[in-house]
Amino acid sequence: QVQVVESGGGLVQPGGSLRLSCVTSGFTFSDYAMSWYRQVPGKEREMVATISVPSSYTNYGAFVRGRFTISRDNAKNTAYLQMNNLEFEDTAMYYCKAIKQQTYWGQGTQVTVSS
């Protein structure tokens, strides 16, 4: 049974930091590229960051501007998104996605940036 479970979201002030985690099971994690997406109500889901396999090449949405870092720990079947210098506009539901021939999505974790 495939599971993709995000955690680490919450309420943070502008300029603050959060670290999101994506714990997976039920598939060979090290074979899958991993991405973080985000979505706000009424808008399309957008790619935040992707980390590929086997090279761990990373790619980010233009709005990231060096503030976020995606990483993975294949031994723990977990992907991470370190988010620094958060802005109001980063408020969204953040989703983890595993990508190969099949894709698996998590249920999301809410990030709210507010003063």
Side-chain angles (χ1 to χ4, degrees):
Q1 180 182 356
V2 171
Q3 289 193 315
V4 179
V5 180
E6 303 95 334
S7 63
L11 176 64
V12 63
Q13 292 186 337
S17 297
L18 284 174
R19 187 195 195 204
L20 306 184
S21 298
C22 173
V23 179
T24 73
S25 61
F27 60 95
T28 305
F29 179 80
S30 58
D31 288 347
Y32 282 70
M34 298 298 297
S35 285
W36 287 95
Y37 279 71
R38 69 185 190 184
Q39 189 171 26
V40 298
K43 287 194 170 183
E44 297 269 326
R45 195 171 290 192
E46 61 180 351
M47 193 275 290
V48 178
T50 297
I51 184 166
S52 65
V53 291
S55 65
S56 290
Y57 171 81
T58 57
N59 186 39
Y60 296 91
F63 59 85
V64 170
R65 303 191 314 275
R67 300 178 297 131
F68 300 172
T69 302
I70 188 171
S71 61
R72 64 190 298 151
D73 185 337
N74 289 340
K76 295 183 178 179
N77 296 335
T78 301
Y80 303 96
L81 184 68
Q82 177 67 44
M83 303 189 295
N84 299 327
N85 196 20
L86 283 160
E87 303 170 351
F88 293 117
E89 294 76 15
D90 296 317
T91 295
M93 184 71 78
Y94 283 71
Y95 297 91
C96 182
K97 178 183 177 183
I99 309 158
K100 198 182 175 186
Q101 288 90 340
Q102 289 180 296
T103 60
Y104 304 117
W105 288 93
Q107 294 300 305
T109 185
Q110 178 67 38
V111 172
T112 302
V113 184
S114 176
S115 56

